[in-house]
């Protein structure tokens, strides 16, 4: 196993632990929770086979579910985002890359296309997570507020992390 793969696995473990131990306990104004776990699915390489991406996403989501006492909610949202990763990326990229594999970033997609891609994946994750978690539509305004605010907070966190970690 090379150093690069080991660092990526350690970073993924750190993000999962950060989500479990810290981010799930944050609720700004009672409606905004950052989901840094979306960053893992956002940074999946473009050519990953859907069944492999969904399997990894399922186990990552299940790990978060086990420690946050949310039976299957994160797993479902994670698998949905992993399933839609490549189709969304193909629609958003600005040129045909053929068989080239790349990791979505501001450098590979451009700032606005990357921000749009991050926004769409985060929005899908939040919609699935909150709709399944609430399991009712009795308070649609509160549900919409949670989805919108959590999406925006997560998007800000993801873009800041990307700006800080991007190689110049």
């Amino acid at each position: 196993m090379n150093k690069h793969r080991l660092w990526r696995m350690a970073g993924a473990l750190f993000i999962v632990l950060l989500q479990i131990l810290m981010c799930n306990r944050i609720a700004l104004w009672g409606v905004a929770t950052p989901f840094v776990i979306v960053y893992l699915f956002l940074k999946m390489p473009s050519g990953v086979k859907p069944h492999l991406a969904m399997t990894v996403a399922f186990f990552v989501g299940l790990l978060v579910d086990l420690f946050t006492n949310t039976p299957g909610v994160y797993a479902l949202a994670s698998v949905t985002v992993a399933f839609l990763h490549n189709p969304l990326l193909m629609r958003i990229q600005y040129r045909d890359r053929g068989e080239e594999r790349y990791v979505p970033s501001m450098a590979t997609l451009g700032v606005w296309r990357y921000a749009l891609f991050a926004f769409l994946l985060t929005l899908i994750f939040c919609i699935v997570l909150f709709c399944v978690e609430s399991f009712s539509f009795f308070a649609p305004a509160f549900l919409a507020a949670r989805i919108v605010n959590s999406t925006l907070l997560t998007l800000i966190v993801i873009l800041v992390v990307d700006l800080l970690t991007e190689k110049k």
Side-chain angles (χ1 to χ4, degrees), residues 19 24 35 37-38 41 57-81 124-135 143 146:
Q19 181 69 48
N24 279 347
F35 296 109
I37 198 167
V38 175
F41 310 122
F58 173 76
F59 285 113
V60 167
L62 191 62
L63 184 64
V64 176
D65 282 332
L66 286 173
F67 288 102
T68 58
N69 198 24
T70 53
V73 174
Y74 279 90
L76 177 65
S78 299
V79 169
T80 305
V81 167
I124 291 166
F125 184 87
C126 289
I127 288 172
V128 171
L129 184 99
F130 288 128
C131 286
V132 171
E133 184 183 62
S134 68
F135 206 64
L143 180 63
R146 287 180 72 190

Side-chain angles (χ1 to χ4, degrees), residues 39-147:
Y39 189 73
L40 291 178
F41 310 122
L42 184 67
K43 289 298 185 174
M44 282 192 305
S46 63
V48 174
K49 301 286 185 208
H51 63 277
L52 177 64
M54 290 189 306
T55 303
V56 169
F58 173 76
F59 285 113
V60 167
L62 191 62
L63 184 64
V64 176
D65 282 332
L66 286 173
F67 288 102
T68 58
N69 198 24
T70 53
V73 174
Y74 279 90
L76 177 65
S78 299
V79 169
T80 305
V81 167
F83 176 72
L84 294 173
H85 179 271
N86 281 342
L88 277 175
L89 189 58
M90 288 173 51
R91 297 274 183 208
I92 289 174
Q93 69 186 4
Y94 58 94
R95 64 180 182 263
D96 184 28
R97 294 181 179 265
E99 296 297 318
E100 178 187 355
R101 289 183 61 166
Y102 62 96
V103 175
S105 68
M106 290 183 194
T108 58
L109 292 176
V111 175
W112 295 111
R113 291 183 192 272
Y114 179 73
L116 176 64
F117 180 60
F119 172 74
L120 290 175
L121 280 184
T122 305
L123 180 65
I124 291 166
F125 184 87
C126 289
I127 288 172
V128 171
L129 184 99
F130 288 128
C131 286
V132 171
E133 184 183 62
S134 68
F135 206 64
S136 71
F137 296 106
F138 288 120
F142 182 67
L143 180 63
R146 287 180 72 190
I147 290 170

